[in-house]
Amino acid sequence: MMFTEPMVSLIAVVRDTDMDRVTQELLSQGVLQFIRVEEIKKKWSEKLEDVDPAVSQARIAEMRKRIEGFLRPLAIPIRMPNELDLKKRKPVDLEDTEKKLNAVAGEVQTVRDKQQKIQQEIMKLENIKQQVGTYGINVSDLLFAGTYSFISIRIGKIKTEGLGDFTKQMEKHPAVTITLKEEKANTHLLLIYMKQDEEEVKQILKEADWSAVEAPDGLEDFKGEIGGDIDKKIDALRSEQRQLAGRADTIIRNRASFLNEFWIQLRVNELYYKIQSNFEKTARTILFSGWLPAKKEWNVQEGVVRVTKGRCYLEWHSPRDLAKEPEITTRAPVKLNNPWFLAPFQMLVTTYGIPEYGTIDPTPAVFITYLIMFGLMFPDVGHGFVIALFGIIGNILFRGKNENFRNLSNLMIYCGATAVLTGVLVGSYFGLPWLKPVWFDFHGILSGHPEKQSLINSIFDVLTISIYFGIAVIEIGFLFNWINLVIKRKWINLLLDKAGLLGVWIYNGGIYVSLYMIHHNYRKLPPFSHLILLLAVPSVLLILKEPLQKTIERKEKLFANLTIFTPVNFLMGWGVELIEIFSGYLSNTLSFFRVAGFGIAHVSLMMAFFQLAGMAGGGRANTPVGIVILLFGNMLVIILEGLSAGVQSLRLNYYEFFTKFFRGSGILYNPVSLTGVSLKRKD
Amino acid sequence: MKSPIRTYGFINAKLRARISMLLNEEKIQQLLQARTLNETLGLLRETQYEVVDEVYRRTGDLKLGELELFKIEVGIYEEIARYVEGALLRVVRALLLRYEIDTLKNAIRLFFDRNIRNRSIEDTRYYVYREKILHDISIDDILGANRVEGITEALKQSPYKAIIEANWDSVEKTQSLFALEIAFDRFYYQNILNETAHLSQTDRRVVERLIGVEIDLLNIYWITRYIGFYNISSDRLHTIILPGGHNLSAGTIEDALRAENVAHFLQTLLKSNYPGVSMLLSADTHDNTSRLLLIERLLEQIMIHEVKKTLSGYPFTIGIILSYYLLKRNEVRKIQTILNAKQYELSPDRIKGAMS
């Protein structure tokens, strides 16, 4: 948990006849992160050729993504492949798969084309309605046909017995047919249609023996009926369009099962060929190389030996062995080994960077420091409860959908719970001191009525807590740095780095000097001998850093490449480093005042809202107006202060803590596996 | 006068958040590689353009989906206009004119098709944006007009009436809308540059630079297209070049027009101002089409270069609004190109070549 998982590298040579069995075993184990063989054995590179997998990975991936494109928009879950799918693996026929997917896409497109035709009809009807609505259907307008650029209006009569056929014919076009007058033999009609359909409509009118008649008076009265008729037609068309839209979704849903099966087969094959694309070959053998967790070494050895019936050669190397060879450039990937409940804090760490292999994984430390910082900045039982509640809701909403948002929700649960705890400690319940505080009375301190018996009875005491906390965090950062440097065997850095022994000597010397001055009312410095020992000596010893690195690490002669600027550069470098140490560490430490500051702001803001509520309620906060103000105040504090506390805690961790030891130059461990985790022998 | 921080603080935060949500190159590649139009639109479902997919699934009509894209763009500027005031509001409204002019151009093209070229516009006239952007313009009146007087009547409440009246003779003479469209573009850019007179000196310089680069790009586009493809004489071309370019002064343009190899001339010019991107022009191209596509891709890179420069500078200037405007337009154009290409089943490589 505190360190990255130990890794080991493997070089394997197997018979080419065993290639498929080995591929299957490696995929089943799912623990190997492949590298090129020549990254470890440079001399072999000339004798090796790449293995060309039987099928293009890119094409398989393309098919797979097409299936995802069908299923994901409809939120149809895609099952991940398992061991059984791997056992049932068949070589995939891409041509056949593509044909089947094209057929599905074609069916959907046919539905969309129908929808589009209906949409055109709808737009034409809407246009008729708009034109009639804008220009009306007065007689004078009818005479000036040019008013209507896109529609034609006719008034005429047909034989009543032919009305049914006529109406059926006209329904094939976006048109409105309104009965103006019914007589025994003839029916008078108002006909409105699109000019583009002129020829077809003329034919229909001819067949129906249409004859034009004079427009009657009161034609405007039919505008409402026209609008109603059009609306009815549009509604019917929209309903048909909706049904078609549903049909397009149904086409996919009905095929979800076989699409999922295809996806699984494609995914298994994709991974299979991905493994083979990392193989290299000679005339009769296959070679591959990669990194895996050291605890999986036996599994992989046993598996490869079993499937090759012992016809294999396996060579194992530790990262330390490889680091001794300067021409080997491969670096061990990093696998963070934290329990599930630390996932949100691991997310915070990996957002900053991936720790270097073999160094400390600060996730467990961040779990403690982040929550303490948040709790001290946001101490309230009620507010913490609300934040935790939102976290629980977020956890439920994002489960299985978005891992990052889910982690964020879980982080809110932790922060909320911590805020509840610190709220109990300082006695704050939705801004009110309902119960006696377990630790110190924050409200009492800020309102000028501190508990006299308490050790913490002024703002300065609160600020002191935050400074001591900050010093503790920074010292832990130094400790982590030393541990990392010991692991990496960088002795000069351990001794002479800014965050090495000398740097810490200066830092702690500075703390001693500061505390001494505070205890002597800022009137007295420590004895001169103390200052020399604690500050001057380590500052001078820092001069040795550059010469020692030059001679021991870079193995150069001390006075080699000397120019006139060398001593100047050297002294300036030393001076700048000293300034960085003194001013940087001072600012790092003082940064932690914000922990107290935000806590004070939190309590003060709630006190201010209570006063406002009291003033608005004529001296009592529990009036309707007062309650509204308190509700608003609590919401504002939860959102603004909660966000601020979260962001500031992150900032303090990243900038004040991580900068002491964290080198985010690691590569994340990413093995080729069926589900992204190893299936065999889960620990 | 408000300080820059008070003027731009909120807008800067808002638009930078929006810029971070623009589609990244990976997403554009996914859209390009999607096999069918349905699959491409499915990918947009997880983005701010999901309404395009929603409209397409409901109606099967891609053009209605593209209209939604247009609405999204207009909506963004209308929203920005609510957060600014004074001189800045005038500049934002001047930027909004782009959309109104584009809409007007579409409507006039359809009028032209119907009345002059005698083509049916039944299938296309529904897709012109009809809501009011800045001026009261009845698009239906323009589409339904039979003569130019119908158009000028519809535009009587807007500054476009005068532009049409001044250029319609040329349209009728040449049977082409080119002169009119150039006049609209000239009006648009001149209007923006005029509105900068009320801005602070810093803001004025930013506007002149970014809009000036956009004018440069448009001028280069017209030069290469019309000399390369239509063999139009340099005398005539001189009348259509937009003033206000940042790198291309009138004199430089004259030189470009006289150059034997326009592309070579432009390469020399651009190398000095944009050394990082001019390498693209070193590519060997044999014909005008390839050269033009190459130049268009280069122009996009130059615009992005200028925008990035602006975004990495002092944040509290009008540069944030202009940068977002240019980036967003670029993104929407790309999406439109991809969607249309998918409808016509073009391959990803062909689509990449067409994107500029």
Side-chain angles (χ1 to χ4, degrees):
Chain A
M1 199 159 76
M2 280 305 294
F3 291 91
T4 60
E5 177 135 2
M7 292 286 190
V8 66
S9 82
L10 162 69
I11 298 178
V13 185
V14 302
R15 297 251 314 251
D16 54 358
T17 48
D18 293 327
M19 183 169 84
D20 286 335
R21 279 189 293 278
V22 168
T23 307
Q24 185 135 339
E25 179 61 23
L26 290 176
L27 186 54
S28 170
Q29 297 253 359
V31 295
L32 198 60
Q33 175 169 325
F34 288 90
I35 56 175
R36 304 287 294 169
V37 171
E38 52 258 34
E39 287 187 57
I40 299 180
K41 296 278 184 188
K42 240 185 171 51
K43 287 179 262 194
W44 293 7
S45 59
E46 293 152 30
K47 298 172 186 153
L48 300 176
E49 286 172 21
D50 288 339
V51 166
D52 288 324
V55 181
S56 158
Q57 256 187 86
R59 267 200 84 191
I60 298 178
E62 191 200 323
M63 298 283 140
R64 174 176 60 81
K65 285 174 188 166
R66 278 193 79 184
I67 296 176
E68 287 168 15
F70 287 130
L71 298 176
R72 287 233 166 95
L74 297 176
I76 297 172
I78 298 173
R79 180 175 73 78
M80 286 290 131
N82 55 33
E83 186 85 25
L84 192 59
D85 297 313
L86 180 59
K87 283 196 176 113
K88 288 189 312 186
R89 187 195 81 89
K90 290 183 298 221
V92 64
D93 183 345
L94 287 180
E95 300 301 330
D96 184 57
T97 307
E98 187 163 7
K99 257 192 214 140
K100 290 190 167 107
L101 294 181
N102 285 345
V104 174
E107 273 189 68
V108 172
Q109 190 56 47
T110 305
V111 172
R112 296 284 181 239
D113 291 341
K114 283 181 187 160
Q115 281 178 279
Q116 198 205 0
K117 284 203 169 72
I118 294 174
Q119 183 61 32
Q120 291 281 321
E121 300 292 305
I122 291 172
M123 289 195 293
K124 285 170 185 170
L125 285 169
E126 280 174 343
N127 190 244
I128 292 175
K129 187 178 171 187
Q130 183 262 328
Q131 296 251 316
V132 168
T134 303
Y135 301 114
I137 47 169
N138 285 322
V139 173
S140 57
D141 295 317
L142 285 173
L143 292 176
F144 295 104
T147 304
Y148 306 101
S149 298
F150 302 104
I151 62 173
S152 292
I153 301 181
R154 289 179 189 264
I155 297 176
K157 62 179 181 183
I158 60 171
K159 290 194 172 49
T160 304
E161 64 192 12
L163 182 62
D165 281 340
F166 176 78
T167 312
K168 238 190 230 164
Q169 290 291 317
M170 285 308 298
E171 268 170 15
K172 292 176 191 168
H173 302 280
V176 177
T177 313
I178 301 288
T179 304
L180 296 175
K181 194 165 73 172
E182 279 183 85
E183 294 166 347
K184 228 185 186 166
N186 295 310
T187 304
H188 291 235
L189 299 170
L190 165 66
L191 186 61
I192 309 174
Y193 58 94
M194 303 300 296
K195 269 192 177 154
Q196 69 174 119
D197 298 329
E198 193 71 46
E199 291 307 312
E200 286 144 352
V201 170
K202 268 188 187 158
Q203 186 61 28
I204 295 169
L205 295 179
K206 191 176 166 188
E207 284 167 15
D209 254 342
W210 173 276
S211 50
V213 298
E214 248 187 55
D217 295 330
L219 208 53
E220 275 293 303
D221 297 339
F222 287 96
K223 251 169 97 169
E225 197 176 329
I226 293 168
D229 187 59
I230 292 175
D231 286 342
K232 233 169 66 182
K233 286 184 171 152
I234 289 175
D235 285 343
L237 286 169
R238 288 224 162 101
S239 170
E240 197 182 334
Q241 227 180 21
R242 274 193 298 274
Q243 281 175 9
L244 283 170
R247 200 188 303 170
D249 290 350
T250 305
I251 289 171
I252 304 294
R253 284 188 208 284
N254 287 347
R255 287 155 184 75
S257 171
F258 98 76
L259 284 173
N260 209 335
E261 280 309 309
F262 268 147
W263 188 93
I264 288 169
Q265 271 307 307
L266 285 168
R267 182 63 178 155
V268 170
N269 276 284
E270 186 184 352
L271 293 169
Y272 191 90
Y273 293 121
K274 184 174 181 178
I275 288 178
Q276 290 194 345
S277 70
N278 286 291
F279 289 172
E280 291 165 90
K281 65 182 182 186
T282 61
R284 295 222 180 99
T285 60
I286 300 293
L287 293 89
F288 60 89
S289 185
W291 290 98
L292 60 148
K295 66 185 180 193
K296 299 289 183 190
E297 180 181 331
W298 185 90
N299 295 22
V300 170
Q301 172 129 346
E302 184 270 336
V304 172
V305 166
R306 176 172 35 83
V307 301
T308 59
K309 295 184 170 58
R311 294 186 301 257
C312 61
Y313 168 75
L314 303 177
E315 194 176 286
W316 301 94
H317 297 275
S318 72
R320 186 149 289 159
D321 295 339
L322 297 180
K324 288 179 192 157
E325 309 288 331
E327 74 267 15
I328 292 174
T329 52
T330 183
R331 288 186 291 140
V334 170
K335 184 169 184 274
L336 300 178
N337 221 2
N338 294 300
W340 62 269
F341 58 87
L342 290 185
F345 304 97
Q346 184 170 303
M347 179 185 73
L348 295 181
V349 170
T350 54
T351 301
Y352 185 84
I354 309 296
E356 220 177 303
Y357 173 77
T359 61
I360 285 189
D361 171 11
T363 303
V366 169
F367 168 62
I368 296 168
T369 56
Y370 186 91
L371 290 180
I372 293 176
M373 287 172 196
F374 187 90
L376 289 175
M377 285 194 259
F378 197 81
D380 191 286
V381 174
H383 296 163
F385 177 74
V386 169
I387 285 185
L389 189 63
F390 276 111
I392 292 169
I393 294 170
N395 183 300
I396 295 167
L397 283 175
F398 294 117
R399 189 171 297 168
K401 288 181 191 157
N402 189 315
E403 203 51 38
N404 283 338
F405 276 110
R406 190 152 176 244
N407 277 330
L408 206 58
S409 304
N410 290 339
L411 185 64
M412 284 172 70
I413 297 173
Y414 281 116
C415 290
T418 311
V420 167
L421 181 64
T422 48
V424 168
L425 290 174
V426 305
S428 183
Y429 301 80
F430 282 114
L432 282 171
W434 275 338
L435 298 175
K436 196 169 168 342
V438 171
W439 186 13
F440 66 89
D441 184 2
F442 218 148
H443 288 87
I445 289 170
L446 290 176
S447 57
H449 310 293
E451 271 183 323
K452 292 214 166 53
Q453 309 93 303
S454 173
L455 283 173
I456 317 288
N457 53 30
S458 75
I459 287 182
F460 294 105
D461 293 333
V462 177
L463 290 168
T464 306
I465 294 171
S466 63
I467 286 294
Y468 281 137
F469 172 68
I471 290 170
V473 168
I474 292 172
E475 300 277 15
I476 292 171
F478 289 143
L479 179 64
F480 284 1
N481 190 46
W482 296 347
I483 294 170
N484 285 344
L485 290 171
V486 166
I487 290 169
K488 289 193 274 192
R489 296 182 192 193
K490 291 195 167 171
W491 310 114
I492 296 173
N493 291 85
L494 174 65
L495 193 59
L496 298 170
D497 229 9
K498 212 166 71 169
L501 292 167
L502 273 187
V504 176
W505 182 350
I506 296 174
Y507 179 67
N508 285 291
I511 291 171
Y512 168 75
V513 170
S514 307
L515 288 174
Y516 189 99
M517 283 178 66
I518 290 166
H519 283 125
H520 289 84
N521 273 331
Y522 307 94
R523 286 197 184 136
K524 208 171 153 190
L525 281 173
F528 190 67
S529 56
H530 292 187
L531 290 174
I532 294 289
L533 183 65
L534 292 171
L535 297 177
V537 166
S539 300
V540 169
L541 285 175
L542 268 177
I543 287 180
L544 296 172
K545 183 180 173 186
E546 176 60 23
L548 283 175
Q549 279 182 329
K550 189 173 180 182
T551 51
I552 297 175
E553 279 182 7
R554 301 198 294 267
K555 299 196 190 325
E556 293 170 14
K557 287 210 171 96
L558 183 61
F559 298 108
N561 301 323
L562 269 186
T563 67
I564 194 163
F565 296 108
T566 306
V568 175
N569 290 341
F570 168 71
L571 285 171
M572 281 197 62
W574 172 66
V576 165
E577 184 137 12
L578 272 183
I579 292 171
E580 266 185 21
I581 289 175
F582 279 96
S583 63
Y585 286 166
L586 179 65
S587 75
N588 287 162
T589 310
L590 295 179
S591 242
F592 282 88
F593 270 140
R594 74 187 71 213
V595 175
F598 274 89
I600 291 167
H602 186 105
V603 177
S604 305
L605 210 48
M606 285 314 301
M607 286 168 67
F609 276 115
F610 273 104
Q611 283 190 352
L612 274 172
M615 282 161 61
R620 287 168 37 229
N622 59 350
T623 56
V625 173
I627 288 170
V628 167
I629 289 173
L630 287 175
L631 271 172
F632 171 74
N634 274 283
M635 264 169 43
L636 193 70
V637 166
I638 290 170
I639 295 169
L640 283 182
E641 290 274 331
L643 193 61
S644 298
V647 168
Q648 292 300 326
S649 302
L650 197 61
R651 179 236 180 272
L652 286 169
N653 272 284
Y654 282 172
Y655 195 69
E656 260 62 72
F657 184 36
F658 280 15
T659 50
K660 303 298 171 287
F661 65 93
F662 195 104
R663 306 285 172 266
S665 53
I667 311 163
L668 208 52
Y669 172 61
N670 186 20
V672 181
S673 76
L674 287 170
T675 58
V677 294
S678 170
L679 290 179
K680 282 214 167 145
R681 293 180 185 265
K682 271 194 189 151
D683 296 315
Chain B
M1 195 174 167
K2 273 192 190 171
S3 71
I5 293 175
R6 281 193 68 191
T7 308
Y8 294 109
F10 178 72
I11 280 288
N12 182 57
K14 197 170 181 69
L15 293 184
R16 279 188 193 262
R18 290 258 174 97
I19 286 172
S20 73
M21 282 160 48
L22 291 174
L23 302 183
N24 56 24
E25 192 52 37
E26 190 193 334
K27 192 71 183 181
I28 299 288
Q29 285 303 314
Q30 284 178 359
L31 293 173
L32 269 172
Q33 297 300 328
R35 189 62 73 88
T36 64
L37 178 60
N38 277 299
E39 290 162 53
T40 310
L41 285 165
L43 288 168
L44 286 179
R45 206 179 285 202
E46 302 146 14
T47 71
Q48 62 220 254
Y49 301 105
E50 64 176 328
V51 67
V52 180
D53 172 63
E54 191 266 318
V55 166
Y56 183 73
R57 278 186 301 123
R58 187 166 38 84
T59 66
D61 194 336
L62 178 63
K63 286 196 161 42
L64 278 183
E66 286 180 17
L67 199 53
E68 290 301 319
L69 281 177
F70 190 83
K71 279 185 197 168
I72 288 171
E73 280 191 273
V74 172
I76 287 165
Y77 282 91
E78 287 175 341
E79 191 191 349
I80 293 175
R82 286 201 289 275
Y83 297 123
V84 298
E85 56 188 24
L88 194 50
L89 176 60
R90 290 167 69 149
V91 173
V92 172
R93 288 168 67 90
L95 291 173
L96 252 180
L97 269 181
R98 170 85 274 159
Y99 301 99
E100 192 170 75
I101 288 173
D102 283 348
T103 303
L104 187 56
K105 280 183 185 175
N106 285 340
I108 293 176
R109 281 177 199 142
L110 291 174
F111 164 89
F112 193 77
D113 274 348
R114 186 173 142 257
N115 290 293
I116 311 248
R117 292 188 178 143
N118 294 314
R119 290 180 192 162
S120 169
I121 60 169
E122 283 303 324
D123 293 335
T124 46
R125 64 192 176 88
Y126 304 109
Y127 304 111
V128 184
Y129 188 71
R130 279 161 164 82
E131 290 170 40
K132 178 182 170 181
I133 297 176
L134 285 170
H135 300 99
D136 275 309
I137 299 172
S138 169
I139 296 296
D140 286 307
D141 285 351
I142 294 173
L143 293 174
N146 296 317
R147 290 160 53 180
V148 68
E149 286 77 13
I151 299 179
T152 51
E153 179 62 22
L155 294 173
K156 66 183 178 206
Q157 308 282 351
S158 74
Y160 310 116
K161 179 180 173 186
I163 298 172
I164 291 182
E165 283 169 347
N167 288 278
W168 198 255
D169 284 342
S170 173
V171 168
E172 282 181 335
K173 213 162 98 182
T174 59
Q175 294 287 293
S176 153
L177 287 170
F178 180 61
L180 180 61
E181 295 193 353
I182 287 288
F184 278 133
D185 287 339
R186 196 185 285 265
F187 167 75
Y188 168 70
Y189 287 111
Q190 197 56 56
N191 188 54
I192 292 179
L193 294 173
N194 288 346
E195 294 298 351
T196 61
H198 307 285
L199 294 175
S200 67
Q201 201 179 32
T202 310
D203 280 349
R204 209 178 314 134
R205 271 195 237 120
V206 170
V207 174
E208 283 166 4
R209 185 183 183 93
L210 280 177
I211 297 298
V213 169
E214 203 182 30
I215 292 172
D216 282 338
L217 304 187
L218 208 50
N219 282 336
I220 291 172
Y221 175 81
W222 288 126
I223 291 169
T224 48
R225 190 168 282 264
Y226 280 86
I227 287 184
F229 282 96
Y230 300 116
N231 263 329
I232 291 183
S233 73
S234 54
D235 295 335
R236 186 157 160 226
L237 214 50
H238 181 68
T239 60
I240 64 173
I241 295 300
L242 298 169
H246 179 67
N247 295 303
L248 298 184
S249 63
T252 318
I253 292 170
E254 293 278 353
D255 294 338
L257 297 172
R258 278 198 293 269
E260 267 186 39
N261 184 337
V262 174
H264 178 75
F265 175 85
L266 290 172
Q267 181 179 1
T268 314
L269 170 72
L270 292 169
K271 225 182 226 179
S272 58
N273 290 327
Y274 305 103
V277 296
S278 73
M279 296 312 291
L280 276 175
L281 263 180
S282 322
D284 197 17
T285 50
H286 299 292
D287 58 276
N288 278 336
T289 309
S290 316
R291 195 174 293 127
L292 181 64
L293 286 173
L294 193 57
I295 288 175
E296 286 179 5
R297 199 148 329 141
L298 178 65
L299 303 188
E300 184 198 322
Q301 292 305 310
I302 289 174
M303 179 54 75
I304 291 170
H305 168 89
E306 288 292 336
V307 163
K308 279 185 181 161
K309 209 163 137 183
T310 305
L311 286 174
S312 58
Y314 182 62
F316 303 110
T317 70
I318 197 171
I320 184 64
I321 296 176
L322 285 175
S323 299
Y324 180 67
Y325 163 74
L326 292 167
L327 288 173
K328 191 71 180 174
R329 280 194 75 207
N330 187 45
E331 179 176 270
V332 169
R333 295 296 164 273
K334 269 190 193 162
I335 293 172
Q336 272 178 323
T337 304
I338 292 171
L339 292 176
N340 276 296
K342 292 296 173 190
Q343 188 165 47
Y344 293 110
E345 297 177 13
L346 297 185
S347 70
D349 288 334
R350 274 198 70 184
I351 302 172
K352 254 194 222 168
M355 282 202 320
S356 65

